[in-house]
Short mmCIF file of all heavy atoms in Angstrom, two decimals:
data_model
loop_
_atom_site.label_atom_id
_atom_site.label_comp_id
_atom_site.label_asym_id
_atom_site.label_seq_id
_atom_site.Cartn_x
_atom_site.Cartn_y
_atom_site.Cartn_z
N GLY L 134 0.83 -1.20 0.00
CA GLY L 134 0.00 0.00 0.00
C GLY L 134 0.86 1.25 0.00
O GLY L 134 1.88 1.30 -0.68
N ASP L 135 0.48 2.21 0.82
CA ASP L 135 1.17 3.50 0.83
C ASP L 135 1.55 3.89 2.25
O ASP L 135 0.99 4.81 2.83
CB ASP L 135 0.27 4.57 0.20
CG ASP L 135 0.99 5.92 0.05
OD1 ASP L 135 2.23 5.95 0.14
OD2 ASP L 135 0.29 6.93 -0.14
N MET L 136 2.52 3.19 2.81
CA MET L 136 2.98 3.50 4.16
C MET L 136 3.71 4.84 4.20
O MET L 136 3.62 5.58 5.18
CB MET L 136 3.87 2.39 4.69
CG MET L 136 3.11 1.13 5.05
SD MET L 136 1.90 1.38 6.38
CE MET L 136 2.99 1.58 7.79
N THR L 137 4.44 5.17 3.14
CA THR L 137 5.13 6.46 3.10
C THR L 137 4.12 7.60 3.15
O THR L 137 4.30 8.57 3.89
CB THR L 137 6.01 6.57 1.85
OG1 THR L 137 6.96 5.49 1.86
CG2 THR L 137 6.75 7.89 1.80
N GLY L 138 3.05 7.47 2.38
CA GLY L 138 1.99 8.48 2.42
C GLY L 138 1.36 8.60 3.79
O GLY L 138 1.07 9.70 4.27
N PHE L 139 1.15 7.45 4.43
CA PHE L 139 0.62 7.45 5.80
C PHE L 139 1.57 8.20 6.73
O PHE L 139 1.16 9.08 7.49
CB PHE L 139 0.39 6.02 6.29
CG PHE L 139 0.42 5.87 7.78
CD1 PHE L 139 -0.55 6.47 8.57
CD2 PHE L 139 1.42 5.14 8.40
CE1 PHE L 139 -0.51 6.35 9.96
CE2 PHE L 139 1.47 5.02 9.78
CZ PHE L 139 0.50 5.62 10.56
N TRP L 140 2.86 7.86 6.68
CA TRP L 140 3.86 8.49 7.53
C TRP L 140 3.87 10.00 7.31
O TRP L 140 3.89 10.79 8.25
CB TRP L 140 5.22 7.86 7.28
CG TRP L 140 6.37 8.55 7.95
CD1 TRP L 140 7.39 9.23 7.34
CD2 TRP L 140 6.64 8.63 9.36
NE1 TRP L 140 8.26 9.73 8.28
CE2 TRP L 140 7.82 9.37 9.53
CE3 TRP L 140 5.98 8.15 10.48
CZ2 TRP L 140 8.37 9.63 10.78
CZ3 TRP L 140 6.54 8.41 11.74
CH2 TRP L 140 7.71 9.14 11.87
N GLU L 141 3.84 10.41 6.07
CA GLU L 141 3.88 11.84 5.74
C GLU L 141 2.58 12.56 6.09
O GLU L 141 2.56 13.78 6.18
CB GLU L 141 4.23 12.02 4.27
CG GLU L 141 5.65 11.58 3.96
CD GLU L 141 5.98 11.55 2.48
OE1 GLU L 141 5.06 11.72 1.64
OE2 GLU L 141 7.16 11.33 2.16
N SER L 142 1.49 11.82 6.31
CA SER L 142 0.20 12.44 6.62
C SER L 142 0.01 12.73 8.10
O SER L 142 -0.97 13.38 8.48
CB SER L 142 -0.94 11.53 6.15
OG SER L 142 -1.10 10.41 7.02
N ILE L 143 0.92 12.29 8.95
CA ILE L 143 0.77 12.52 10.39
C ILE L 143 0.86 14.02 10.66
O ILE L 143 1.75 14.71 10.17
CB ILE L 143 1.82 11.73 11.19
CG1 ILE L 143 1.56 10.22 11.01
CG2 ILE L 143 1.80 12.11 12.66
CD1 ILE L 143 2.62 9.34 11.61
N ASP L 144 -0.08 14.53 11.43
CA ASP L 144 -0.19 15.95 11.72
C ASP L 144 0.98 16.41 12.60
O ASP L 144 0.99 16.19 13.80
CB ASP L 144 -1.53 16.21 12.43
CG ASP L 144 -1.78 17.67 12.75
OD1 ASP L 144 -0.88 18.51 12.53
OD2 ASP L 144 -2.89 17.97 13.22
N THR L 145 1.96 17.07 11.97
CA THR L 145 3.16 17.49 12.71
C THR L 145 2.92 18.74 13.56
O THR L 145 3.78 19.11 14.35
CB THR L 145 4.34 17.71 11.75
OG1 THR L 145 3.97 18.66 10.74
CG2 THR L 145 4.77 16.40 11.10
N ASN L 146 1.78 19.38 13.41
CA ASN L 146 1.42 20.45 14.34
C ASN L 146 0.96 19.87 15.67
O ASN L 146 1.15 20.48 16.71
CB ASN L 146 0.32 21.35 13.76
CG ASN L 146 0.82 22.17 12.60
OD1 ASN L 146 1.92 22.71 12.64
ND2 ASN L 146 0.02 22.25 11.55
N ARG L 147 0.39 18.69 15.60
CA ARG L 147 -0.13 18.03 16.80
C ARG L 147 0.89 17.07 17.43
O ARG L 147 0.94 16.91 18.65
CB ARG L 147 -1.40 17.27 16.43
CG ARG L 147 -2.07 16.61 17.60
CD ARG L 147 -3.41 16.05 17.22
NE ARG L 147 -4.06 15.46 18.39
CZ ARG L 147 -5.28 15.01 18.39
NH1 ARG L 147 -6.02 15.07 17.30
NH2 ARG L 147 -5.80 14.50 19.49
N HIS L 148 1.67 16.41 16.59
CA HIS L 148 2.61 15.38 17.05
C HIS L 148 4.01 15.68 16.54
O HIS L 148 4.17 16.22 15.45
CB HIS L 148 2.21 14.00 16.50
CG HIS L 148 0.76 13.68 16.65
ND1 HIS L 148 0.16 13.44 17.86
CD2 HIS L 148 -0.23 13.55 15.72
CE1 HIS L 148 -1.13 13.17 17.68
NE2 HIS L 148 -1.39 13.24 16.38
N GLU L 149 5.02 15.28 17.31
CA GLU L 149 6.40 15.32 16.82
C GLU L 149 6.70 13.98 16.18
O GLU L 149 6.36 12.93 16.75
CB GLU L 149 7.38 15.53 17.98
CG GLU L 149 7.41 16.91 18.55
CD GLU L 149 8.43 17.01 19.67
OE1 GLU L 149 8.24 16.34 20.71
OE2 GLU L 149 9.41 17.74 19.48
N VAL L 150 7.33 14.00 15.02
CA VAL L 150 7.66 12.76 14.33
C VAL L 150 9.17 12.68 14.11
O VAL L 150 9.82 13.69 13.81
CB VAL L 150 6.90 12.60 13.00
CG1 VAL L 150 5.40 12.53 13.24
CG2 VAL L 150 7.22 13.72 12.04
N PHE L 151 9.70 11.46 14.26
CA PHE L 151 11.12 11.22 14.09
C PHE L 151 11.30 9.94 13.28
O PHE L 151 10.77 8.89 13.66
CB PHE L 151 11.82 11.04 15.45
CG PHE L 151 11.59 12.18 16.40
CD1 PHE L 151 10.53 12.16 17.30
CD2 PHE L 151 12.42 13.29 16.40
CE1 PHE L 151 10.30 13.21 18.18
CE2 PHE L 151 12.21 14.35 17.27
CZ PHE L 151 11.15 14.31 18.17
N ASP L 152 12.03 10.04 12.18
CA ASP L 152 12.38 8.84 11.42
C ASP L 152 13.60 8.23 12.11
O ASP L 152 14.68 8.82 12.11
CB ASP L 152 12.69 9.21 9.97
CG ASP L 152 12.90 7.98 9.10
OD1 ASP L 152 13.47 6.97 9.58
OD2 ASP L 152 12.52 8.03 7.92
N ILE L 153 13.41 7.07 12.72
CA ILE L 153 14.49 6.41 13.46
C ILE L 153 14.91 5.12 12.77
O ILE L 153 15.40 4.19 13.42
CB ILE L 153 14.08 6.15 14.93
CG1 ILE L 153 12.83 5.25 15.01
CG2 ILE L 153 13.86 7.46 15.67
CD1 ILE L 153 12.56 4.70 16.39
N SER L 154 14.74 5.08 11.46
CA SER L 154 15.05 3.87 10.69
C SER L 154 16.48 3.41 10.91
O SER L 154 16.75 2.20 10.96
CB SER L 154 14.81 4.12 9.20
OG SER L 154 13.48 4.49 8.97
N ASP L 155 17.42 4.34 11.07
CA ASP L 155 18.83 3.97 11.20
C ASP L 155 19.13 3.22 12.49
O ASP L 155 20.12 2.50 12.57
CB ASP L 155 19.72 5.20 11.08
CG ASP L 155 19.44 6.26 12.14
OD1 ASP L 155 18.27 6.40 12.56
OD2 ASP L 155 20.39 6.94 12.55
N ILE L 156 18.26 3.33 13.50
CA ILE L 156 18.49 2.60 14.75
C ILE L 156 17.44 1.52 14.99
O ILE L 156 17.45 0.86 16.02
CB ILE L 156 18.54 3.53 15.98
CG1 ILE L 156 17.22 4.27 16.18
CG2 ILE L 156 19.72 4.48 15.87
CD1 ILE L 156 17.10 4.97 17.52
N ALA L 157 16.55 1.34 14.03
CA ALA L 157 15.49 0.34 14.20
C ALA L 157 15.44 -0.56 12.97
O ALA L 157 16.36 -1.33 12.75
CB ALA L 157 14.16 1.01 14.51
N HIS L 158 14.40 -0.46 12.16
CA HIS L 158 14.16 -1.45 11.10
C HIS L 158 14.84 -1.14 9.78
O HIS L 158 14.55 -1.76 8.77
CB HIS L 158 12.65 -1.61 10.89
CG HIS L 158 12.29 -2.99 10.42
ND1 HIS L 158 11.00 -3.39 10.29
CD2 HIS L 158 13.03 -4.06 10.04
CE1 HIS L 158 10.95 -4.63 9.86
NE2 HIS L 158 12.17 -5.05 9.70
N GLY L 159 15.74 -0.18 9.74
CA GLY L 159 16.51 0.11 8.54
C GLY L 159 15.77 0.98 7.55
O GLY L 159 14.55 1.15 7.62
N GLU L 160 16.53 1.54 6.63
CA GLU L 160 15.98 2.49 5.65
C GLU L 160 14.98 1.85 4.70
O GLU L 160 14.03 2.49 4.28
CB GLU L 160 17.11 3.15 4.87
CG GLU L 160 17.98 4.07 5.70
CD GLU L 160 17.22 5.22 6.34
OE1 GLU L 160 16.27 5.74 5.72
OE2 GLU L 160 17.57 5.60 7.46
N THR L 161 15.18 0.60 4.33
CA THR L 161 14.28 -0.04 3.37
C THR L 161 12.89 -0.23 3.95
O THR L 161 11.89 0.12 3.32
CB THR L 161 14.84 -1.40 2.91
OG1 THR L 161 16.14 -1.18 2.37
CG2 THR L 161 13.95 -2.03 1.87
N GLN L 162 12.80 -0.78 5.15
CA GLN L 162 11.51 -0.99 5.81
C GLN L 162 11.05 0.28 6.53
O GLN L 162 9.92 0.68 6.42
CB GLN L 162 11.58 -2.16 6.80
CG GLN L 162 11.92 -3.48 6.16
CD GLN L 162 10.91 -3.90 5.12
OE1 GLN L 162 9.71 -3.80 5.34
NE2 GLN L 162 11.38 -4.35 3.98
N GLY L 163 11.93 0.85 7.30
CA GLY L 163 11.66 2.10 7.98
C GLY L 163 11.00 1.96 9.33
O GLY L 163 10.27 1.00 9.59
N SER L 164 11.29 2.92 10.19
CA SER L 164 10.71 2.99 11.53
C SER L 164 10.49 4.44 11.91
O SER L 164 11.35 5.28 11.68
CB SER L 164 11.65 2.35 12.56
OG SER L 164 11.85 0.99 12.29
#
């Protein structure tokens, strides 16, 4: 599906978001 679209749709005015792929599931899968 569209997990990247989901990730990018998170309201950053309401929530802080951090891409932690490098310390978790890696860049290909992402975290």
Side-chain angles (χ1 to χ4, degrees):
D135 186 17
M136 287 298 288
T137 302
F139 156 65
W140 172 247
E141 292 172 352
S142 75
I143 295 173
D144 182 354
T145 56
N146 291 318
R147 183 172 182 173
H148 313 291
E149 286 181 295
V150 297
F151 305 92
D152 187 324
I153 60 167
S154 301
D155 60 327
I156 62 168
H158 210 174
E160 292 300 326
T161 303
Q162 299 300 315
S164 298

